[in-house]
Amino acid sequence: KARQIGKYINKKKVIAAGTRGTIILSKDGGKTWTEFPSNMFMKFNDIEVTDNNSIFIVGERGTILKLKE
């Protein structure tokens, strides 16, 4: 079953991740989306955004990806 998780970075920016390594970012509140290739075929479980706009995406088998927006 496909599952997506998402977090607001600010009022306009939203990041979402889910099954099969999908990571997408919207800079207009969700009207349009850009896909980030993760090159990972796994389910992502959580997203955390830090004060300095670093984005951490946690996946299966202890995987942690760091994106810098």
Side-chain angles (χ1 to χ4, degrees), residues 49-54:
V49 180
T50 65
D51 291 342
N52 63 355
N53 287 331
S54 289

Side-chain angles (χ1 to χ4, degrees), residues 3-5 15-25 34-44 47 57 65:
R3 178 178 169 254
Q4 300 292 324
I5 52 172
I15 189 158
T19 56
R20 297 189 183 108
T22 304
I23 301 172
I24 53 177
L25 176 70
T34 302
E35 186 171 353
F36 283 88
S38 72
N39 299 320
M40 308 200 132
F41 193 76
M42 68 172 54
K43 179 178 76 173
F44 293 121
I47 299 172
I57 301 175
L65 299 178

